[in-house]
Amino acid sequence: MSNPRLADRYAKSLIDLSTERNQLDAVRADMQYIQALCKGSRDFVNVLRSPIIKADQKEKMLVAVISGKVSDLTAVFSNLLVRKGRESDLPEIANAFINQYNALKGIHQVKLTSAVPVSEELKNSIKERVQKANDFITVELETVVDQKLIGGFVLEFNNKQIDASIANDLREIKKQFLQNQFVANIR
């Protein structure tokens, strides 16, 4: 079960500890690795959340998956979560850590969804325009390809969405036809 307050508290503690030890950027890279791991492997998350699997087995699995790929501080933190019975919250804690890190450093996440892959030149142009239009210091652009858009793009940042896709235009046209706005004008 998702517990955002708990995730925020653990993430804040980890940020404070990693800042104190001058390992903030290393721990951020570790949390990005864990976040990618959780997004990429549903089985990994299911094992963490399983009430059937014992804590010592989860700890061994977690050590096997992250050993050598994360810093010692992150490994110790992950083991602490298992000992406290909070390993199921690891995906949310990683997300909360990255969000808090981004807020601390003034980094804004921007997600660009398009029907076809976009070139590096276009990515850089979009980043620059978003930066200038919103006075952002730093922008991290994530690109996703979704062929259901047919054409155009969807841009998401700061809980805002700009939908300039063909699929959205077709939905709007369908809505207008279903409301019969044009029939009254014909007569």
Side-chain angles (χ1 to χ4, degrees):
M1 297 210 182
S2 180
N3 191 343
R5 286 183 56 193
L6 178 119
D8 285 339
R9 286 181 181 171
Y10 273 99
K12 175 72 171 122
S13 297
L14 185 58
I15 281 184
D16 291 344
L17 182 62
S18 59
T19 301
E20 180 181 303
R21 295 188 178 184
N22 290 330
Q23 296 180 5
L24 186 60
D25 292 329
V27 174
R28 176 189 183 230
D30 298 342
M31 288 296 133
Q32 287 177 322
Y33 170 74
I34 290 172
Q35 184 183 47
L37 183 65
C38 292
K39 284 182 181 178
S41 176
R42 188 174 192 92
D43 292 336
F44 176 72
V45 175
N46 288 339
V47 167
L48 290 176
R49 293 191 173 149
S50 175
I52 298 169
I53 300 173
K54 296 192 182 330
D56 62 331
Q57 293 173 324
K58 288 181 184 181
E59 187 173 4
K60 288 177 185 175
M61 183 272 310
L62 195 56
V63 167
V65 170
I66 66 173
S67 67
K69 296 181 176 105
V70 298
S71 67
D72 292 337
L73 180 61
T74 304
V76 169
F77 179 77
S78 300
N79 289 336
L80 173 73
L81 289 177
V82 174
R83 284 194 308 258
K84 295 283 186 180
R86 299 290 189 193
E87 67 278 353
S88 62
D89 295 312
L90 183 60
E92 287 84 14
I93 293 169
N95 292 337
F97 181 92
I98 291 169
N99 290 338
Q100 289 179 20
Y101 177 91
N102 289 344
L104 184 69
K105 297 290 186 176
I107 299 171
H108 295 273
Q109 298 283 94
V110 177
K111 181 178 177 183
L112 173 68
T113 307
S114 61
V116 295
V118 294
S119 67
E120 287 299 318
E121 182 180 317
L122 184 58
K123 287 180 192 178
N124 292 332
S125 174
I126 290 171
K127 280 175 62 172
E128 287 174 15
R129 285 186 180 212
V130 170
Q131 268 181 307
K132 286 180 185 176
N134 297 288
D135 292 328
F136 292 161
I137 298 169
T138 307
V139 171
E140 283 187 356
L141 183 67
E142 173 191 359
T143 58
V144 178
V145 175
D146 183 3
Q147 294 178 346
K148 293 177 187 173
L149 294 180
I150 303 171
F153 65 90
V154 177
L155 194 65
E156 300 173 67
F157 62 95
N158 288 357
N159 295 324
K160 296 178 186 176
Q161 181 177 10
I162 301 168
D163 193 341
S165 66
I166 302 294
N168 183 52
D169 292 344
L170 291 174
R171 280 192 301 273
E172 290 297 320
I173 292 170
K174 180 180 179 181
K175 191 185 315 178
Q176 289 173 2
F177 277 117
L178 290 175
Q179 293 173 354
N180 287 327
Q181 292 176 346
F182 304 107
V183 173
N185 294 335
I186 295 174
R187 295 181 187 175

